[in-house]
Amino acid sequence: MHELAPVSPFVALAYLIAGVLFILALRGLSSPATSRRGNRMGMVGMAIAVATTLYTHDVASLPEIVGAIIVGGGIGFVIARRIEMTAMPQLVAAFHSLVGLAAVLVGAAAYLNPGAFGILDPLTDEIHNASRIEMGLGVAIGAITFSGSVIAFLKLNGNMSGKPIMLPGRHLINLGTLAAILGLIAYFVTDQSPWVFWTVTALSFVIGFLLIIPIGGADMPVVVSMLNSYSGWAAAAMGFTLGNSAMIITGALVGSSGAILSYIMCKAMNRSFISVIAGGFGAETGGASGGAAAVDRPYKRGSAEDAAFLMKQADSVIIVPGYGMAVSQAQHALREMGDLLKKEGVSVKYAIHPVAGRMPGHMNVLLAEANVPYDEVFELEDINSEFGQADVAFVIGANDVTNPAAKTDKSSPIYGMPILDVANAKSVLFVKRSMGGAGYAGVDNEVFYMDNTMMLLADAKKMVEEIVKGLAH
Amino acid sequence: MDFISILSVFVLACFVGYYVVWSVTPALHTPLMAVTNAISSVIIVGALVASAEAGSIAAKVLGLLAVVLASVNIFGGFAVTERMLAMYKKKERK
């Protein structure tokens, strides 16, 4: 079907090597010890892919191309150096949007100059049918990735409310738009006129926007993973158009990576992928059901000194960080607290829920930034049984992931979600800004009102710094 | 390459991706997203083709623009991954 420009075996081999190096880059991430070598392999793979492409094409435009790489590369490098670790979810969303837009631009360039991509039928001087479908899909997925990631970025960066924005009849609008896009791509096979191509592009930008605005802050880990996956599929579709194995292998790798991460995130929230996409979760934040009950019920409030005293007496403390720790940048103070406790002979461990934070692995990166050794940090299934033996569970900025309602209350929106069993510890210290807000799912948490719970109501970072002072003398 | 060979590469790569990604430790899921983001910018190959070939000025401009965007991602993605991975330490520095 494809009659691409003749490719020398050497060139095809070079792209294959680049693809293999990308596989090894991901393989390296199986352990922190091998991860950096993997990342370097990825860099080499990219260098090979770029060099091979330049080598096989006319060098007349080389100055402009090198200029473009220097400008883009310079911007990317500076951003990567300066970005705060807490801003990583926004950064990843922003990077996804760039891949999406680049895919759209490449698709548009291929449409305007099909001869350059070797996708013209020499007999009819029209674009190959198969290439039209691949191109249409590539542009559509790229455009959805772009506009969806822009919305995700705005929500994560706080430029736009994290609350879901619900349009009336949105499911109907979305399904209609999606059907129109697919229909037009099919129609593109019979008619390659510009209006078809550009309408597909425009509608895809719109649907990306519509798909992400109804999704709330707590579902962002799934959204970021999903957009990660889309950026891969867009690259793969373009790889089909160009018959380029490096692009196809990479697209497939990234596509499955994002899909697996989305699956892990959905499972960790006990929600189906469809219900996340449908959106609206967390709309009732601070609503009547949770908020009203929270005000009246008695709870124990403690001070930083109480907390310091309690933890000093303990044999083992398990720290449970959540998004609130990231917001108040409490990770460094938290590590200091951990160090002081260890000096007192207390065993300190960290327990991470898969959906704590705003993207997969968010908490792990922040703790690593604060120099917490990664062998003190444990995943939910590895540490959950240890809460029963722990003297203190120190919950900081996490809420829904510790809520027993997920196990007991069938009517709760988070019912069935695996939780960290902090309630099993002898005492629970719960750092929270105020009793008002009740987590992103908008559900009240029984742990607040238990006899062995002490609420530490303050900004997470300030509270931990106070506790550090209390431990120091 | 004909369509079936391309499709074979794609399908097999999906399987490789599936098994490789499941073996990634959850602690490194954020670097995983950053690095997959960097490598998906291999789309720069298409952008380079568009910028290098004569025939359409518009295609060339779009191609160069795509080269800039993909380069932001490649350099930014690899650099930020490197920065994150350097922070993961096993023992305490004392």
Side-chain angles (χ1 to χ4, degrees):
Chain A
M1 280 162 100
H2 282 250
E3 280 172 71
L4 297 168
V7 191
S8 85
F10 164 74
V11 169
L13 193 64
Y15 283 129
L16 182 62
I17 292 172
V20 171
L21 285 168
F22 292 149
I23 295 174
L24 292 173
L26 298 197
R27 185 76 188 101
L29 291 174
S30 57
S31 132
T34 56
S35 59
R36 293 180 80 183
R37 197 180 52 197
N39 195 36
R40 307 249 161 83
M41 287 191 191
M43 293 182 200
V44 174
M46 189 60 76
I48 291 176
V50 170
T52 310
T53 314
L54 288 177
Y55 172 76
T56 50
H57 285 84
D58 196 7
V59 288
S61 324
L62 203 57
E64 293 106 286
I65 292 176
V66 172
I69 293 179
I70 291 175
V71 170
I75 297 172
F77 197 72
V78 169
I79 296 174
R81 289 273 129 189
R82 296 212 176 142
I83 192 83
E84 292 275 350
M85 281 301 148
T86 39
M88 204 49 70
Q90 294 92 297
L91 181 74
V92 167
F95 278 169
H96 287 157
S97 75
L98 297 184
V99 181
L101 192 55
V104 174
L105 294 176
V106 172
Y111 177 70
L112 294 172
N113 191 6
F117 289 81
I119 52 176
L120 272 185
D121 193 321
L123 295 176
T124 57
D125 212 30
E126 288 198 323
I127 303 172
H128 286 297
N129 284 348
S131 302
R132 294 187 203 180
I133 293 182
E134 293 153 9
M135 201 194 267
L137 284 176
V139 167
I141 302 171
I144 294 172
T145 312
F146 172 73
S147 52
S149 298
V150 168
I151 302 298
F153 170 82
L154 292 174
K155 288 197 173 194
L156 289 164
N157 205 34
N159 306 97
M160 194 172 163
S161 160
K163 281 181 193 162
I165 298 166
M166 319 276 261
L167 293 175
R170 64 206 152 83
H171 295 312
L172 218 59
I173 300 175
N174 289 354
L175 286 175
T177 317
L178 218 55
I181 292 170
L182 291 174
L184 280 171
I185 291 175
Y187 179 67
F188 194 44
V189 175
T190 59
D191 175 7
Q192 57 162 329
S193 38
W195 75 266
V196 185
F197 183 83
W198 298 115
T199 311
V200 167
T201 314
L203 283 179
S204 305
F205 279 125
V206 173
I207 187 90
F209 173 79
L210 291 175
L211 278 175
I212 309 301
I213 49 166
I215 302 181
D219 279 341
M220 276 300 145
V222 182
V223 169
V224 176
S225 315
M226 185 183 83
L227 292 167
N228 184 240
S229 179
Y230 288 177
S231 69
W233 303 129
M238 285 299 151
F240 271 93
T241 310
L242 275 100
N244 183 298
S245 58
M247 283 170 85
I248 294 171
I249 294 175
T250 315
L253 284 179
V254 178
S256 20
S257 166
I260 290 172
L261 290 178
S262 314
Y263 169 79
I264 295 175
M265 295 299 118
C266 284
K267 218 178 130 217
M269 294 193 289
N270 190 39
R271 310 204 36 217
S272 76
F273 191 66
I274 299 292
S275 70
V276 171
I277 299 302
F281 191 63
E284 64 273 61
T285 300
S289 56
V295 184
D296 308 334
R297 298 177 60 181
Y299 61 91
K300 266 195 278 185
R301 185 172 175 174
S303 68
E305 289 80 55
D306 301 334
F309 179 79
L310 193 66
M311 285 194 282
K312 241 181 193 174
Q313 309 302 314
D315 285 327
S316 61
V317 172
I318 299 178
I319 299 173
V320 180
Y323 184 57
M325 179 193 82
V327 173
S328 76
Q329 305 255 24
Q331 66 270 30
H332 300 279
L334 198 61
R335 198 256 312 148
E336 235 180 291
M337 185 184 95
D339 284 351
L340 288 170
L341 285 173
K342 278 190 269 176
K343 260 189 212 157
E344 301 281 336
V346 183
S347 131
V348 177
K349 285 176 180 174
Y350 296 80
I352 312 280
H353 191 280
V355 289
R358 282 293 177 271
M359 73 185 292
H362 193 182
M363 291 300 121
N364 303 77
V365 171
L366 295 180
L367 293 175
E369 186 201 9
N371 273 324
V372 172
Y374 64 79
D375 35 7
E376 285 177 13
V377 182
F378 297 87
E379 303 301 321
L380 175 120
E381 59 267 33
D382 298 326
I383 197 162
N384 223 2
S385 57
E386 291 185 32
F387 280 105
Q389 289 94 53
D391 294 312
V392 177
F394 186 85
V395 185
I396 173 165
N399 184 0
D400 296 333
V401 299
T402 64
N403 195 338
K407 286 188 170 167
T408 52
D409 180 4
K410 279 198 175 138
S411 66
S412 168
I414 58 170
Y415 181 72
M417 170 171 133
I419 58 158
L420 288 159
D421 297 320
V422 294
N424 292 351
K426 285 197 194 80
S427 16
V428 181
L429 294 171
F430 214 111
V431 183
K432 200 170 179 304
R433 212 169 313 150
S434 68
M435 288 305 282
Y440 278 91
V443 233
D444 206 13
N445 191 340
E446 277 305 310
V447 174
F448 302 159
Y449 314 107
M450 294 187 327
D451 286 339
N452 58 344
T453 300
M454 194 195 282
M455 298 301 294
L456 305 169
L457 300 179
D459 170 75
K461 188 177 173 187
K462 279 199 195 116
M463 176 53 73
V464 177
E465 283 169 349
E466 290 290 312
I467 295 174
V468 167
K469 270 186 221 157
L471 285 171
H473 49 69
Chain B
M1 278 199 283
D2 62 293
F3 184 72
I4 293 301
S5 336
I6 297 182
L7 190 64
S8 318
V9 171
F10 177 71
V11 172
L12 292 176
C14 284
F15 278 95
V16 171
Y18 180 85
Y19 288 106
V20 168
V21 171
W22 272 116
S23 76
V24 171
T25 166
L28 292 176
H29 275 164
T30 296
L32 172 68
M33 298 196 93
V35 81
T36 50
N37 193 67
I39 65 173
S40 63
S41 303
V42 72
I43 200 147
I44 195 173
V45 166
L48 291 171
V49 172
S51 337
E53 293 284 333
S56 160
I57 295 292
K60 192 171 182 143
V61 171
L62 293 180
L64 282 172
L65 207 57
V67 171
V68 174
L69 297 180
S71 304
V72 172
N73 241 321
I74 291 172
F75 284 79
F78 281 124
V80 88
T81 309
E82 189 73 16
R83 209 180 124 198
M84 277 191 271
L85 294 177
M87 297 184 315
Y88 284 82
K89 294 190 192 77
K90 197 163 187 172
K91 289 189 188 93
E92 284 210 272
R93 303 181 308 175
K94 276 275 156 86

